[in-house]
């Protein structure tokens, strides 16, 4: 008799769980999503992927473009709360300043799921999880590729000195990705047996945009035209803008100045195929499917990991032609 009761209990339990699962899946979930803006090829690919994945998962998506302003993201999240959405997703443009609005979401019992960039909050329970990319490892991969390239090609300082001079185009000030890529690059450099042969000549934000990347590279060249050996651009769009500046200064990109960046967007593959860039470390924007799968699990009451990274590789000019047809963004 006990066994039957146990089986009955289990089957009733399973039926309720299945029903709640199907209830959540079948019910038109409404998810509010606050995106940073459209500052780069990468961001546009990320947005397109989120919208496509929402459609594929029958999610009613309320999408907001913050035009690069944190205050617009906060306003959008407050609107989602008022609209009583089932879940709120957002890409934190900078790492701090989110505690108050996330407390409002918590009071409204609306779960928050982060995409792409990290945030720093006083209470980790203010968000359920983060789907995204490992910017620290991306920064380490940039230096490791560069160190290997310099030695394989016996690259010498252009000015005849004893230091390989590096300039860095940083991302948006205060963004977790800027901090992560910078720390990863600097830690890998400090740990390299060749650390004494490198010097960081200048480092300044280009705010992840083509235009600012070109402008800041112009200023680097104004003051150090004949000393710069390497450009590390924290995204491909800034590298593409810098290439314009390098050519305008009468120098040969990828030869006079080695160019390595992050993202792996189509534009940098075209530049590598034209011999104007040397390498890119992939940062995968195609996070939409994983985001909505995780959102459904959260709404079904399932436990999810606090942080999940998507897969990423490293691509150089040598393989760009062969890899380009396989690129999805
Ligand atoms: C990376 C992402 C960054 C990209 C840039 O995770 O947040 O923002 O590297 C984009 O291209 O602007």
């Amino acid at each position: 008799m006990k066994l039957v009761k146990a089986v009955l209990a289990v089957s009733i339990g399973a039926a309720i769980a299945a029903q709640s699962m199907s209830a959540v899946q079948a019910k038109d979930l409404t998810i509010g999503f606050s995106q940073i803006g459209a500052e780069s090829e990468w961001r546009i690919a990320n947005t397109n992927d989120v919208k496509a994945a929402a459609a594929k998962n029958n999610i009613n998506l309320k999408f907001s473009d913050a035009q690069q302003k944190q205050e617009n993201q906060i306003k959008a999240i407050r609107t989602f709360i008022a609209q009583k959405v089932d879940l709120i997703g957002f890409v934190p443009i900078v790492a701090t300043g989110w505690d108050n609005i996330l407390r409002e979401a918590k009071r409204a019992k609306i779960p928050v799921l982060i995409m792409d960039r990290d945030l720093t909050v006083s209470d980790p329970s203010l968000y359920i999880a983060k789907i995204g990319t490992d910017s620290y490892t991306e920064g380490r991969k940039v230096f490791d590729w560069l160190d290997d390239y310099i030695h394989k090609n016996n690259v010498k300082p252009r000015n005849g000195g004893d230091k390989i001079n590096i300039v860095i185009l940083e991302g948006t000030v205060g963004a977790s990705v800027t901090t992560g890529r910078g720390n990863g690059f600097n830690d890998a450099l400090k740990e390299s047996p060749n650390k004494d042969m490198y010097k960081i000549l200048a480092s300044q934000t280009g705010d992840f945009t083509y235009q600012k990347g070109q402008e800041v590279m112009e200023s680097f060249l104004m003051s150090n035209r004949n000393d710069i050996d390497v450009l590390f651009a924290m995204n491909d769009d800034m590298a593409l803008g810098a290439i314009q500046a390098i050519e305008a200064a009468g120098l040969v990109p990828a030869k006079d100045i080695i160019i390595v960046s992050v993202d792996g967007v189509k534009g940098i593959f075209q530049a590598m195929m034209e011999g104007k860039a040397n390498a890119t470390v992939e940062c995968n924007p195609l996070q939409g499917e994983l985001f909505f799968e995780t959102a459904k699990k959260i709404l079904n009451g399932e436990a999810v990991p606090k942080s999940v990274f998507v897969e990423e590789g490293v691509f150089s000019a040598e393989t760009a032609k062969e890899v380009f047809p396989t690129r999805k963004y």
Side-chain angles (χ1 to χ4, degrees):
M1 195 54 171
K2 263 198 190 134
L3 180 61
V4 171
K5 269 191 183 160
V7 168
L8 203 56
V10 167
S11 53
I12 289 171
I16 291 169
Q19 200 212 352
S20 68
M21 175 78 84
S22 60
V24 168
Q25 278 174 338
K27 171 177 171 289
D28 276 344
L29 291 179
T30 299
I31 291 179
F33 191 90
S34 168
Q35 177 59 290
I36 287 178
E39 73 282 3
S40 63
E41 273 188 64
W42 190 98
R43 185 64 52 206
I44 290 163
N46 179 239
T47 289
N48 292 341
D49 187 65
V50 165
K51 290 180 174 175
K56 181 166 169 269
N57 285 275
N58 300 316
I59 301 282
N60 172 24
L61 184 68
K62 291 182 178 301
F63 184 88
S64 158
D65 177 329
Q67 312 279 316
Q68 311 297 325
K69 289 188 171 60
Q70 181 177 27
E71 63 262 29
N72 290 344
Q73 291 199 280
I74 291 170
K75 278 185 206 140
I77 293 169
R78 191 160 284 130
T79 301
F80 297 148
I81 293 169
Q83 292 169 332
K84 296 185 173 30
V85 298
D86 295 299
L87 180 137
I88 292 170
F90 77 108
V91 178
I93 187 168
V94 291
T96 54
W98 304 103
D99 287 60
N100 292 339
I101 191 66
L102 294 185
R103 279 196 203 98
E104 290 178 36
K106 190 171 182 180
R107 276 197 297 274
K109 297 190 175 23
I110 299 175
V112 174
L113 179 56
I114 308 296
M115 178 188 277
D116 180 21
R117 297 185 184 176
D118 285 310
L119 74 180
T120 305
V121 286
S122 56
D123 170 4
S125 75
L126 289 175
Y127 68 96
I128 308 291
K130 180 230 167 177
I131 307 291
T133 56
D134 182 353
S135 55
Y136 178 79
T137 301
E138 290 159 1
R140 292 195 69 101
K141 286 178 183 176
V142 169
F143 178 79
D144 291 345
W145 178 88
L146 175 66
D147 205 17
D148 182 57
Y149 180 89
I150 293 283
H151 286 83
K152 273 195 183 134
N153 295 277
N154 193 24
V155 175
K156 296 291 176 230
R158 214 158 38 93
N159 65 8
D162 61 350
K163 295 286 183 193
I164 294 283
N165 288 317
I166 301 168
V167 292
I168 301 176
L169 287 170
E170 299 171 10
T172 302
V173 176
S176 64
V177 181
T178 303
T179 312
R181 287 175 187 167
N183 290 346
F185 183 86
N186 289 322
D187 286 353
L189 190 161
K190 276 188 292 213
E191 291 160 22
S192 164
N194 313 309
K195 66 178 187 292
D196 293 333
M197 66 179 285
Y198 296 104
K199 182 177 180 204
I200 296 181
L201 213 50
S203 185
Q204 190 179 330
T205 182
D207 207 15
F208 282 136
T209 68
Y210 181 105
Q211 182 63 39
K212 284 292 289 290
Q214 182 173 357
E215 287 166 12
V216 175
M217 191 66 201
E218 280 164 0
S219 69
F220 286 162
L221 288 162
M222 292 281 275
S223 33
N224 293 295
R225 182 187 183 285
N226 298 322
D227 301 312
I228 300 171
D229 299 299
V230 175
L231 164 64
F232 162 28
M234 289 192 187
N235 84 331
D236 295 337
D237 288 64
M238 293 191 290
L240 294 169
I243 287 167
Q244 297 300 313
I246 291 167
E247 290 180 318
L251 293 169
V252 182
K255 296 189 181 45
D256 293 329
I257 296 179
I258 296 161
I259 299 172
V260 50
S261 55
V262 187
D263 278 350
V265 297
K266 285 195 167 75
I268 204 70
F269 272 85
Q270 273 141 8
M272 288 195 287
M273 290 187 286
E274 290 162 14
K276 296 186 176 180
N278 298 92
T280 183
V281 169
E282 185 179 35
C283 172
N284 187 347
L286 309 180
Q287 306 171 18
E289 192 54 39
L290 183 54
F291 178 88
F292 290 112
E293 263 169 39
T294 306
K296 281 182 179 173
K297 285 181 180 167
I298 291 167
L299 292 169
N300 280 329
E302 293 173 46
V304 296
K306 193 72 178 175
S307 182
V308 182
F309 293 142
V310 290
E311 288 298 312
E312 299 172 327
V314 183
F315 301 98
S316 67
E318 287 67 32
T319 59
K321 207 172 180 72
E322 159 207 341
V323 169
F324 186 65
T326 69
R327 298 299 296 162
K328 296 192 180 70
Y329 67 93

